[in-house]
Amino acid sequence: MSNSAASPMAGGASMAARGCGRATSFVPELQSMMFALGDSRRPLHETAALVEDIVHTQLINMLHQAAEVSLLRGARLITAEDILFLMRKDKKKVRRLLKYMQFRDYKSKLLKMVDDEDPVDSDKYSSGTVNKRKKLFQDFLGSIDQTGEFLSVLEEDDVDEVKQERMERLEKQTRAMDATQYSDFCESRQLSFSKKASKFREWLDCSTLDVKPNAVSMEILSYLAYETVAQIVDLALLVKQDMTPKNGDPFSHAISASFMQYHNSAAECAAACGAETQSSAIQPAHIREAIRRYSHKIGPLSPFSVRNNRAVKELYL
Amino acid sequence: MEQNNSLPPFPQGLASPQNVMTPAIYSPMMPYGTGLTPQPVQNTNSLSILEEQQRQQQQQQQQASAQQSGVQSSSGQTPQLYHSQAITTTTALPGNTPLYTTPLTPMTPITPATPASESSGIVPQLQNIVSTVNLGCKLDLKTIALRARNAEYNPKRFAAVIMRIREPRTTALIFSSGKMVCTGAKSEEQSRLAARKYARVVQKLGFPAKFLDFKIQNMVGSCDVKFPIRLEGLVLTHQQFSSYEPELFPGLIYRMIKPRIVLLIFVSGKVVLTGAKVRGEIYEAFENIYPILKGFRKTT
């Protein structure tokens, strides 16, 4: 395929241009993950590089904020509680994280039942570590809960719409696959940051921090990294869908000018590489547009918020 | 002896009260609630494993119980016995139609009414059985670890003696309270036999060990449906029962309500069933899931 020859070089150029000093790169893993999350069979290298950048920035921000929180507490390690504290405002994300942690607990319990190799795991018969993560969450949320809003997160059992949407999309995607494609797909789905824990740790580069994260918080961070990739892909797919010209769309003439600019650059990219499959993969342009929309605060007071205020921006930049 | 071995293939388990062709000595109302603990065990204090087994066999010949005969008979007959055994445990529930015929019973003069749904023809194999027994006396773990063969004891790591025997290939965790956990056996009978052997070892070391409350706590079975399964479809349609996080675990975890079994379903078609207290639950769970899995078969 012509695009696969073009894209590594293009990707390499853009990587050098960005001047990343990181030794480890998750780009090939990210390409697999994006395929597993709904992108085309071979996601573009530039797209994966851009996603890596975004995820890395987000995680470093989160790590620094968590380090501040744990310093406030006077602790020596960043724990799960610190990260939970940062996330407390967003109920849906907390619930998704909780469900994930519950699954982890449940899986370790199950596997101990099923695997018989070493019946004496140091924690096997002690009930202290059964559901340890869930207990951690419960205790912490209980301690910071003033109005009962956090503990309600633990009880709620509503359907997670985002997850539902993802499941439906993947189901549709897999229906069309044949057996070999499907087994590839399943393998890609199994990739995660937690599988490559040491590489992930290196990639995060915690050496500049005063406090380091402990094991459970590393689990949470690798989950958050994966969630970020999933969200980016979700939004980028939405953007891609918006960009495809639909017949009979009443709003097609009302799309903003900046949007058209992105659209044109995407079209140029496609024209330059000229391969058909290029058009079905997510472009970096889609991702940039998705991020722009996500960070664009829409609301009654948004013109006065610090981010959008041009005067404030001029002050600081 | 022959009576014992010839009668089990009869699907007396299917003997619902209206089936008049049941041989008279087999009562249709068997106590399957007792699990796999034959009654006489609780009363014995002296253990000589061989004698005990012979005694049990004699008692079982007298007792009209297919379950016990299933457990004690020779392994050659075991496939059929497992089937009939499985059937007995499930007909206890009202309105529960037997889901499988007995295809492996050649000597069945009485043909049961064939259920509407055909059976899968696949029988899950038991991989691991976890059982517990109370030896009924306090134990000094240090003495046991020092004097018994194949025993390890590391009190800093775990507060029990780990003992292993080669036949049946099992591992036992022996606690100072006298309670013991036996894992690794491939059948209920083997688990019981192994537990008795461990108890015998402890007894030989000078402790007044008994064999109280032997109970099977968990059974794990596995099988292969031999076709690839599209797990994304399954997790979507059976959301209330399934969870699938391929980043964490490659298999789909399906929590069946009736019977209360957890199934691990893999893309390759392998299915692992766990959480059963009796063998029949594993068979029933598999028969329940098989048509569902067929619906999500990944065709090329």
Side-chain angles (χ1 to χ4, degrees):
Chain A
M1 290 194 285
S2 57
N3 72 322
S4 59
S7 53
M9 289 192 283
S14 63
M15 282 290 278
R18 223 168 278 121
C20 73
R22 289 191 292 281
T24 50
S25 162
F26 267 108
V27 173
E29 286 90 349
L30 273 173
Q31 281 179 300
S32 284
M33 282 190 223
M34 285 166 63
F35 168 51
L37 288 165
D39 197 358
S40 69
R41 181 66 188 86
R42 299 208 187 282
L44 299 177
H45 195 275
E46 307 98 78
T47 323
L50 178 58
V51 172
E52 181 186 21
D53 223 22
I54 297 172
V55 173
H56 192 263
T57 322
Q58 297 270 326
L59 278 181
I60 292 288
N61 283 341
M62 181 135 227
L63 253 185
H64 282 282
Q65 287 178 354
E68 278 172 29
V69 171
S70 69
L71 278 175
L72 266 178
R73 288 193 303 140
R76 289 183 318 139
L77 287 176
I78 299 180
T79 60
E81 281 93 346
D82 299 321
I83 303 184
L84 249 189
F85 182 74
L86 289 176
M87 286 176 66
R88 70 193 185 283
K89 298 276 171 65
D90 192 338
K91 295 276 175 45
K92 296 210 178 107
K93 297 222 171 86
V94 172
R95 196 147 47 96
R96 214 175 296 156
L97 177 63
L98 178 67
K99 286 227 157 76
Y100 177 82
M101 289 287 141
Q102 281 177 323
F103 188 91
R104 259 194 189 243
D105 282 337
Y106 189 66
K107 168 199 148 194
S108 42
K109 191 164 84 166
L110 254 191
L111 287 186
K112 276 176 191 149
M113 262 211 292
V114 174
D115 290 335
D116 191 42
E117 269 101 52
D118 186 10
V120 186
D121 233 334
S122 50
D123 309 314
K124 182 177 181 184
Y125 290 98
S126 66
S127 57
T129 47
V130 170
N131 292 339
K132 78 166 182 189
R133 294 174 188 90
K134 175 162 182 193
K135 204 166 177 310
L136 200 89
F137 273 50
Q138 265 176 330
D139 291 343
F140 178 67
L141 288 177
S143 67
I144 62 171
D145 196 356
Q146 303 272 355
T147 55
E149 51 179 350
F150 297 126
L151 285 178
S152 64
V153 168
L154 296 169
E155 268 87 66
E156 268 166 27
D157 210 16
D158 299 335
V159 175
D160 189 348
E161 293 126 6
V162 174
K163 234 182 145 69
Q164 181 75 11
E165 225 181 274
R166 280 187 209 157
M167 277 206 285
E168 286 169 10
R169 188 178 30 176
L170 288 180
E171 199 269 326
K172 237 194 285 181
Q173 203 179 357
T174 54
R175 228 186 289 166
M177 292 184 187
D178 66 13
T180 37
Q181 284 177 339
Y182 184 62
S183 61
D184 281 343
F185 179 78
C186 280
E187 266 186 58
S188 309
R189 274 203 80 177
Q190 289 169 24
L191 253 185
S192 81
F193 289 103
S194 50
K195 286 242 165 67
K196 313 241 173 171
S198 48
K199 188 173 174 184
F200 182 67
R201 226 194 159 97
E202 215 186 297
W203 184 63
L204 273 186
D205 192 21
C206 315
S207 52
T208 52
L209 292 172
D210 298 326
V211 277
K212 311 270 192 272
N214 72 357
V216 182
S217 52
M218 280 307 281
E219 282 178 11
I220 298 183
L221 284 172
S222 55
Y223 169 70
L224 288 178
Y226 191 79
E227 255 306 294
T228 314
V229 178
Q231 284 254 265
I232 295 176
V233 172
D234 280 350
L235 295 172
L237 285 174
L238 264 178
V239 170
K240 203 161 72 125
Q241 195 185 42
D242 281 346
M243 283 190 183
T244 56
K246 290 185 275 289
N247 298 328
D249 180 12
F251 294 108
S252 53
H253 62 278
I255 298 176
S256 71
S258 58
F259 193 77
M260 291 309 286
Q261 180 203 2
Y262 280 120
H263 183 66
N264 286 336
S265 68
E268 274 165 28
C269 252
C273 296
E276 235 169 80
T277 52
Q278 184 95 9
S279 57
S280 64
I282 297 180
Q283 311 284 335
H286 295 140
I287 306 227
R288 287 198 201 97
E289 171 66 14
I291 298 290
R292 185 196 68 85
R293 284 194 206 172
Y294 188 79
S295 49
H296 181 66
K297 259 201 156 72
I298 302 168
L301 292 178
S302 74
F304 306 105
S305 79
V306 175
R307 274 209 221 165
N308 292 340
N309 195 330
R310 222 169 300 150
V312 178
K313 278 191 192 156
E314 276 159 8
L315 257 181
Y316 285 104
L317 295 172
Chain B
M1 203 49 191
E2 293 132 73
Q3 226 181 7
N4 232 7
N5 288 341
S6 63
L7 283 166
F10 285 18
Q12 73 280 2
L14 290 173
S16 41
Q18 56 264 30
N19 186 350
V20 294
M21 292 201 280
T22 322
I25 59 167
Y26 281 78
S27 125
M29 305 295 169
M30 341 191 178
Y32 18 65
T34 56
L36 293 150
T37 314
Q39 286 82 347
V41 176
Q42 260 82 341
N43 305 328
T44 38
N45 283 336
S46 68
L47 303 174
S48 164
I49 295 176
L50 271 170
E51 294 160 15
E52 189 55 44
Q53 273 187 322
Q54 285 168 3
R55 254 194 69 207
Q56 276 182 3
Q57 278 181 346
Q58 284 166 13
Q59 281 176 338
Q60 279 143 21
Q61 284 163 20
Q62 289 146 26
Q63 282 184 26
S65 169
Q67 271 178 334
Q68 288 152 356
S69 63
V71 166
Q72 287 294 334
S73 70
S74 60
S75 52
Q77 291 242 344
T78 37
Q80 302 93 308
L81 301 168
Y82 292 170
H83 254 301
S84 54
Q85 212 176 355
I87 295 167
T88 54
T89 53
T90 55
T91 48
L93 309 165
N96 195 359
T97 52
L99 295 170
Y100 27 80
T101 56
T102 52
L104 304 172
T105 57
M107 301 192 298
T108 320
I110 305 162
T111 325
T114 331
S117 63
E118 54 171 68
S119 90
S120 61
I122 305 174
V123 182
Q125 299 302 308
L126 290 182
Q127 302 295 340
N128 181 24
I129 304 215
V130 177
S131 55
T132 54
V133 71
N134 185 0
L135 299 176
C137 63
K138 291 269 177 285
L139 303 172
D140 178 14
L141 298 184
K142 262 213 161 117
T143 321
I144 297 177
L146 282 171
R147 293 170 51 197
R149 264 178 289 173
N150 300 324
E152 41 179 282
Y153 180 44
N154 194 347
K156 291 210 181 119
R157 195 167 163 241
F158 193 59
V161 166
I162 306 158
M163 205 185 287
R164 290 173 226 265
I165 58 174
R166 259 184 242 114
E167 184 55 50
R169 193 176 188 76
T170 49
T171 306
L173 301 172
I174 307 173
F175 294 84
S176 54
S177 60
K179 301 249 172 84
M180 181 171 77
V181 180
C182 173
T183 66
K186 299 272 197 242
S187 80
E188 302 93 320
E189 174 203 345
Q190 284 190 2
S191 192
R192 191 189 188 79
L193 176 60
R196 294 203 94 98
K197 288 193 177 177
Y198 289 115
R200 188 91 181 103
V201 168
V202 170
Q203 203 188 43
K204 279 200 175 145
L205 289 174
F207 296 95
K210 307 187 248 321
F211 199 76
L212 310 169
D213 304 324
F214 175 80
K215 182 163 186 248
I216 305 254
Q217 298 292 349
N218 182 33
M219 300 172 76
V220 179
S222 73
C223 57
D224 189 357
V225 301
K226 309 259 193 321
F227 52 78
I229 305 168
R230 199 166 59 91
L231 297 178
E232 278 80 12
L234 182 58
V235 74
L236 192 64
T237 40
H238 290 248
Q239 276 180 53
Q240 329 88 291
F241 309 112
S242 21
S243 3
Y244 180 42
E245 300 280 345
E247 318 99 61
L248 276 182
F249 186 61
L252 184 149
I253 300 184
Y254 192 100
R255 274 182 261 204
M256 198 177 277
I257 309 283
K258 182 167 122 46
R260 193 154 214 92
I261 298 281
V262 176
L263 299 93
L264 305 177
I265 304 169
F266 296 87
V267 184
S268 56
K270 300 245 176 357
V271 179
V272 174
L273 307 101
T274 179
K277 289 272 193 296
V278 292
R279 189 188 284 260
E281 285 173 0
I282 295 204
Y283 295 147
E284 190 186 343
F286 181 68
E287 292 299 325
N288 286 347
I289 200 83
Y290 188 72
I292 298 171
L293 295 182
K294 273 206 287 192
F296 290 101
R297 182 187 193 133
K298 189 80 192 122
T299 47
T300 8

mmCIF file of all heavy atoms in Angstrom, chain B residues 10-27:
data_model
loop_
_atom_site.group_PDB
_atom_site.id
_atom_site.type_symbol
_atom_site.label_atom_id
_atom_site.label_comp_id
_atom_site.label_asym_id
_atom_site.label_seq_id
_atom_site.Cartn_x
_atom_site.Cartn_y
_atom_site.Cartn_z
ATOM 1 N N PHE B 10 -29.584 -46.724 33.824
ATOM 2 C CA PHE B 10 -30.999 -46.408 33.692
ATOM 3 C C PHE B 10 -31.192 -44.964 34.048
ATOM 4 O O PHE B 10 -30.634 -44.480 35.004
ATOM 5 C CB PHE B 10 -31.818 -47.257 34.668
ATOM 6 C CG PHE B 10 -31.949 -48.682 34.241
ATOM 7 C CD1 PHE B 10 -31.109 -49.238 33.297
ATOM 8 C CD2 PHE B 10 -32.917 -49.483 34.808
ATOM 9 C CE1 PHE B 10 -31.226 -50.561 32.912
ATOM 10 C CE2 PHE B 10 -33.049 -50.803 34.431
ATOM 11 C CZ PHE B 10 -32.208 -51.346 33.491
ATOM 12 N N PRO B 11 -31.937 -44.274 33.272
ATOM 13 C CA PRO B 11 -32.140 -42.854 33.597
ATOM 14 C C PRO B 11 -33.145 -42.677 34.705
ATOM 15 O O PRO B 11 -34.144 -42.013 34.554
ATOM 16 C CB PRO B 11 -32.659 -42.290 32.282
ATOM 17 C CG PRO B 11 -33.408 -43.437 31.676
ATOM 18 C CD PRO B 11 -32.673 -44.677 32.071
ATOM 19 N N GLN B 12 -32.838 -43.318 35.804
ATOM 20 C CA GLN B 12 -33.814 -43.207 36.893
ATOM 21 C C GLN B 12 -33.879 -41.788 37.398
ATOM 22 O O GLN B 12 -34.814 -41.401 38.043
ATOM 23 C CB GLN B 12 -33.473 -44.174 38.031
ATOM 24 C CG GLN B 12 -32.270 -43.766 38.852
ATOM 25 C CD GLN B 12 -30.995 -44.125 38.166
ATOM 26 O OE1 GLN B 12 -30.995 -44.644 37.053
ATOM 27 N NE2 GLN B 12 -29.884 -43.839 38.787
ATOM 28 N N GLY B 13 -32.850 -41.039 37.081
ATOM 29 C CA GLY B 13 -32.912 -39.641 37.467
ATOM 30 C C GLY B 13 -34.080 -38.954 36.792
ATOM 31 O O GLY B 13 -34.701 -38.059 37.341
ATOM 32 N N LEU B 14 -34.351 -39.390 35.584
ATOM 33 C CA LEU B 14 -35.465 -38.795 34.856
ATOM 34 C C LEU B 14 -36.788 -39.303 35.381
ATOM 35 O O LEU B 14 -37.837 -38.926 34.915
ATOM 36 C CB LEU B 14 -35.375 -39.163 33.365
ATOM 37 C CG LEU B 14 -34.233 -38.483 32.615
ATOM 38 C CD1 LEU B 14 -34.147 -39.064 31.218
ATOM 39 C CD2 LEU B 14 -34.475 -36.996 32.530
ATOM 40 N N ALA B 15 -36.703 -40.214 36.355
ATOM 41 C CA ALA B 15 -37.937 -40.820 36.830
ATOM 42 C C ALA B 15 -38.770 -39.795 37.557
ATOM 43 O O ALA B 15 -38.653 -39.606 38.744
ATOM 44 C CB ALA B 15 -37.621 -41.994 37.753
ATOM 45 N N SER B 16 -39.537 -39.091 36.832
ATOM 46 C CA SER B 16 -40.544 -38.234 37.440
ATOM 47 C C SER B 16 -41.649 -39.163 37.914
ATOM 48 O O SER B 16 -41.774 -40.273 37.409
ATOM 49 C CB SER B 16 -41.059 -37.245 36.400
ATOM 50 O OG SER B 16 -41.224 -37.884 35.170
ATOM 51 N N PRO B 17 -42.390 -38.723 38.875
ATOM 52 C CA PRO B 17 -43.352 -39.639 39.492
ATOM 53 C C PRO B 17 -44.249 -40.377 38.496
ATOM 54 O O PRO B 17 -44.671 -41.471 38.763
ATOM 55 C CB PRO B 17 -44.182 -38.742 40.415
ATOM 56 C CG PRO B 17 -43.238 -37.640 40.776
ATOM 57 C CD PRO B 17 -42.299 -37.461 39.623
ATOM 58 N N GLN B 18 -44.462 -39.778 37.337
ATOM 59 C CA GLN B 18 -45.397 -40.470 36.458
ATOM 60 C C GLN B 18 -44.735 -41.571 35.642
ATOM 61 O O GLN B 18 -45.384 -42.270 34.908
ATOM 62 C CB GLN B 18 -46.072 -39.491 35.500
ATOM 63 C CG GLN B 18 -45.112 -38.671 34.660
ATOM 64 C CD GLN B 18 -44.847 -37.306 35.274
ATOM 65 O OE1 GLN B 18 -44.905 -37.170 36.502
ATOM 66 N NE2 GLN B 18 -44.555 -36.321 34.447
ATOM 67 N N ASN B 19 -43.455 -41.731 35.770
ATOM 68 C CA ASN B 19 -42.771 -42.751 35.004
ATOM 69 C C ASN B 19 -42.872 -44.073 35.737
ATOM 70 O O ASN B 19 -42.121 -44.369 36.654
ATOM 71 C CB ASN B 19 -41.305 -42.342 34.822
ATOM 72 C CG ASN B 19 -40.562 -43.298 33.908
ATOM 73 O OD1 ASN B 19 -41.087 -44.362 33.570
ATOM 74 N ND2 ASN B 19 -39.371 -42.931 33.504
ATOM 75 N N VAL B 20 -43.791 -44.884 35.353
ATOM 76 C CA VAL B 20 -44.051 -46.113 36.111
ATOM 77 C C VAL B 20 -43.057 -47.206 35.789
ATOM 78 O O VAL B 20 -43.046 -48.246 36.397
ATOM 79 C CB VAL B 20 -45.480 -46.635 35.847
ATOM 80 C CG1 VAL B 20 -46.479 -45.649 36.409
ATOM 81 C CG2 VAL B 20 -45.716 -46.806 34.360
ATOM 82 N N MET B 21 -42.215 -46.993 34.792
ATOM 83 C CA MET B 21 -41.320 -48.073 34.413
ATOM 84 C C MET B 21 -40.066 -48.104 35.263
ATOM 85 O O MET B 21 -39.160 -48.851 35.025
ATOM 86 C CB MET B 21 -40.939 -47.927 32.934
ATOM 87 C CG MET B 21 -42.117 -48.181 32.039
ATOM 88 S SD MET B 21 -41.603 -48.612 30.397
ATOM 89 C CE MET B 21 -41.242 -47.017 29.745
ATOM 90 N N THR B 22 -39.966 -47.222 36.225
ATOM 91 C CA THR B 22 -38.787 -47.214 37.088
ATOM 92 C C THR B 22 -38.720 -48.502 37.878
ATOM 93 O O THR B 22 -39.714 -48.939 38.416
ATOM 94 C CB THR B 22 -38.902 -46.060 38.096
ATOM 95 O OG1 THR B 22 -39.484 -44.967 37.441
ATOM 96 C CG2 THR B 22 -37.541 -45.684 38.630
ATOM 97 N N PRO B 23 -37.508 -49.093 37.954
ATOM 98 C CA PRO B 23 -37.390 -50.285 38.802
ATOM 99 C C PRO B 23 -37.765 -49.931 40.233
ATOM 100 O O PRO B 23 -37.449 -48.868 40.726
ATOM 101 C CB PRO B 23 -35.902 -50.641 38.713
ATOM 102 C CG PRO B 23 -35.417 -49.950 37.493
ATOM 103 C CD PRO B 23 -36.296 -48.781 37.250
ATOM 104 N N ALA B 24 -38.413 -50.869 40.862
ATOM 105 C CA ALA B 24 -39.018 -50.567 42.156
ATOM 106 C C ALA B 24 -38.003 -50.152 43.211
ATOM 107 O O ALA B 24 -38.271 -49.324 44.053
ATOM 108 C CB ALA B 24 -39.811 -51.779 42.642
ATOM 109 N N ILE B 25 -36.800 -50.745 43.169
ATOM 110 C CA ILE B 25 -35.888 -50.438 44.263
ATOM 111 C C ILE B 25 -35.317 -49.031 44.174
ATOM 112 O O ILE B 25 -34.729 -48.529 45.111
ATOM 113 C CB ILE B 25 -34.710 -51.432 44.345
ATOM 114 C CG1 ILE B 25 -33.909 -51.411 43.030
ATOM 115 C CG2 ILE B 25 -35.214 -52.817 44.618
ATOM 116 C CD1 ILE B 25 -32.588 -52.098 43.159
ATOM 117 N N TYR B 26 -35.473 -48.397 43.019
ATOM 118 C CA TYR B 26 -34.949 -47.044 42.920
ATOM 119 C C TYR B 26 -36.080 -46.072 43.163
ATOM 120 O O TYR B 26 -36.979 -45.942 42.376
ATOM 121 C CB TYR B 26 -34.342 -46.794 41.533
ATOM 122 C CG TYR B 26 -32.977 -47.380 41.429
ATOM 123 C CD1 TYR B 26 -32.804 -48.746 41.231
ATOM 124 C CD2 TYR B 26 -31.864 -46.577 41.574
ATOM 125 C CE1 TYR B 26 -31.562 -49.291 41.162
ATOM 126 C CE2 TYR B 26 -30.609 -47.122 41.492
ATOM 127 C CZ TYR B 26 -30.455 -48.474 41.287
ATOM 128 O OH TYR B 26 -29.214 -49.003 41.211
ATOM 129 N N SER B 27 -36.009 -45.437 44.279
ATOM 130 C CA SER B 27 -37.060 -44.468 44.568
ATOM 131 C C SER B 27 -36.782 -43.205 43.778
ATOM 132 O O SER B 27 -35.663 -42.737 43.715
ATOM 133 C CB SER B 27 -37.066 -44.194 46.066
ATOM 134 O OG SER B 27 -36.940 -42.822 46.284
#
